[in-house]
């Protein structure tokens, strides 16, 4: 019986795929099957083997059109750093989770970062809720859990200690664009506290990313905004934690084996990326790289 471990040996993967071991070695030599070598021994990630197998299903072959090497969707400080440092050659086009879904559906992006919460269940990135339920080759890869909260000027001069203070003290709040995951989360948190969004005092222009939001506060254009802890630390702001969310990467199955994605994922598993996540603050990367959905 094939091992239940996350990594299979050559004999186990041969048994799993109903192939001879010699054929597995041939596939490795040709670079056609995902594997890694540890102390001279070949190991095969079970999840990657499942994706590789499904990518070769009869009648499920990808079209000839190649997807652009673009990472769309939501901005994440750790992800942006990893994209650059990994040499993935992915271009960043981060205009919010909703925009990332649209670009993934229209083949304008190879990868999309998502953190969309479900109002009723509090769960994250459910394909049917995102409009991705009909994508038969959709894959979701877990990136990280992130702490979201209120970003405030250094020293918290307004003394804001709870979400209700956004109504009582009427601070200037910088919001995100309507289709952003952070804006959806703000509505969710306000709804949970029975606070009417219309009671807030927003500034006229929404922030299009984590850094834009943090800069609006540090430059005294706004008093408060909802964002990730890593952005607060990077800009020297006070941070009031409110919620831990899940951030995932969505892509089509055929894209998983493209060199830009493989370089990014391989780098993400390394000690350097793990250390960076710890230094940035607000991240739990213990499950980074796990496949959480495979259509």
């Amino acid at each position: 019986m094939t091992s239940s471990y996350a990594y299979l040996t050559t004999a186990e993967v041969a048994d799993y795929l109903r192939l001879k071991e010699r054929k597995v070695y041939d596939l490795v030599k040709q670079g056609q099957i995902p594997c890694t070598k540890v102390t001279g021994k070949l190991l095969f990630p079970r999840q990657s083997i499942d994706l590789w197998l499904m990518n070769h299903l009869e009648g499920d072959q990808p079209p000839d059109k190649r997807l652009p090497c673009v990472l769309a969707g939501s901005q994440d400080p750790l992800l942006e750093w990893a994209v650059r440092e990994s040499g993935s050659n992915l271009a960043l086009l981060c205009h919010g989770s909703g925009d990332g879904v649209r670009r993934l559906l229209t083949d304008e992006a190879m990868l999309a970062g998502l953190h969309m919460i479900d109002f009723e269940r509090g769960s994250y990135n459910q394909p049917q809720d995102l409009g991705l339920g009909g994508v038969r080759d959709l894959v979701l890869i877990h990136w990280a859990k992130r702490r979201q909260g209120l970003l405030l000027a250094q020293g918290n001069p307004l003394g804001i200690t709870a979400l209700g203070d956004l109504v009582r003290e009427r601070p200037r709040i910088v919001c995100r664009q309507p289709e952003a995951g952070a804006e959806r989360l703000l509505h969710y948190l306000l709804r949970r506290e029975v606070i009417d969004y219309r009671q807030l005092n927003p500034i006229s222009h929404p922030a299009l990313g984590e850094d834009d939001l943090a800069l609006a506060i540090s430059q005294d254009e706004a008093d408060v905004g909802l964002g990730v802890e890593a952005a607060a630390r990077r800009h020297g702001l006070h941070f009031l934690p409110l919620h831990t969310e899940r951030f995932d990467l969505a892509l089509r199955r055929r894209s998983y084996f493209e060199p830009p994605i493989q370089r990014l994922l391989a780098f993400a598993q390394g000690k350097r990326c793990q250390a960076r996540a710890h230094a940035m603050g607000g991240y739990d990367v213990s499950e980074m790289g796990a496949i959480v959905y495979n259509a």
Side-chain angles (χ1 to χ4, degrees):
M1 183 176 293
T2 303
S3 168
S4 60
Y5 292 130
Y7 290 87
L8 304 177
T9 66
T10 304
E12 288 169 342
V13 81
D15 179 61
Y16 191 50
L17 297 175
R18 303 295 191 267
L19 297 174
K20 294 184 180 296
E21 285 190 47
R22 180 177 296 178
K23 180 60 178 178
V24 173
Y25 283 118
D26 288 342
L27 291 171
V28 170
K29 186 176 181 180
Q30 296 163 14
Q32 293 188 26
I33 190 170
C35 68
T36 186
K37 184 174 285 188
V38 179
T39 63
K41 182 178 180 179
L42 288 173
L43 292 176
F44 301 81
R46 181 187 290 271
Q47 290 184 327
S48 296
I49 292 296
D50 288 339
L51 283 173
W52 176 82
L53 184 63
M54 293 189 73
N55 202 43
H56 290 78
L57 289 177
E58 190 74 26
D60 192 29
Q61 297 302 311
D64 293 334
K65 177 183 176 182
R66 295 184 66 85
L67 297 177
C69 295
V70 169
L71 167 60
S74 184
Q75 181 191 14
D76 177 69
L78 178 63
L79 179 58
E80 288 190 347
W81 176 84
V83 164
R84 294 192 302 270
E85 295 296 315
S86 65
S88 67
N89 294 325
L90 285 165
L92 296 170
L93 190 61
C94 299
H95 294 158
S97 295
D99 184 73
V101 168
R102 182 185 65 79
R103 293 184 187 275
L104 196 67
L105 287 171
T106 56
D107 291 341
E108 297 176 57
M110 182 177 286
L111 192 64
L114 308 174
H115 62 119
M116 296 292 275
I117 193 168
D118 178 84
F119 280 144
E120 301 302 326
R121 300 185 294 272
S123 58
Y124 272 90
N125 306 326
Q126 299 299 314
Q128 61 273 17
D129 297 332
L130 295 170
L132 295 172
V135 181
R136 68 177 185 176
D137 60 342
L138 178 69
V139 173
L140 289 178
I141 300 173
H142 180 67
W143 178 250
K145 291 185 177 70
R146 316 187 304 178
R147 276 198 293 270
Q148 284 267 13
L150 297 182
L151 276 63
L152 302 146
Q154 192 171 30
N156 190 13
L158 297 181
I160 293 174
T161 60
L163 204 59
D165 291 337
L166 300 185
V167 174
R168 287 187 290 270
E169 305 298 332
R170 298 283 292 167
R172 298 166 299 164
I173 181 169
V174 54
C175 297
R176 295 290 305 278
Q177 65 270 41
E179 59 184 4
E183 186 68 3
R184 187 176 177 89
L185 176 60
L186 177 59
H187 281 267
Y188 172 82
L189 294 174
L190 291 171
R191 178 180 174 182
R192 192 173 64 180
E193 297 291 327
V194 197
I195 298 172
D196 190 341
Y197 183 89
R198 293 170 296 182
Q199 294 179 279
L200 302 184
N201 180 28
I203 63 174
S204 56
H205 302 293
L208 299 180
E210 296 286 347
D211 286 322
D212 291 337
L213 186 142
L215 283 170
I217 298 167
S218 64
Q219 295 174 356
D220 197 30
E221 297 172 4
D223 300 309
V224 61
L226 183 71
V228 295
E229 182 175 347
R233 288 197 184 192
R234 183 154 67 179
H235 293 271
L237 299 174
H238 182 81
F239 181 74
L240 178 65
L242 294 176
H243 183 78
T244 298
E245 66 174 10
R246 200 182 87 200
F247 192 99
D248 296 324
L249 302 174
L251 66 161
R252 294 182 181 274
R253 193 177 297 121
R254 64 181 182 270
S255 299
Y256 181 85
F257 299 100
E258 291 292 329
I261 307 298
Q262 285 297 301
R263 280 195 290 267
L264 174 62
L265 294 178
F267 179 80
Q269 298 300 316
K271 292 182 179 179
R272 188 175 168 214
C273 188
Q274 309 292 307
R276 183 73 174 195
H278 178 73
M280 282 185 163
Y283 286 104
D284 176 354
V285 294
S286 59
E287 299 176 43
M288 179 179 277
I291 297 166
V292 295
Y293 180 84
N294 182 12

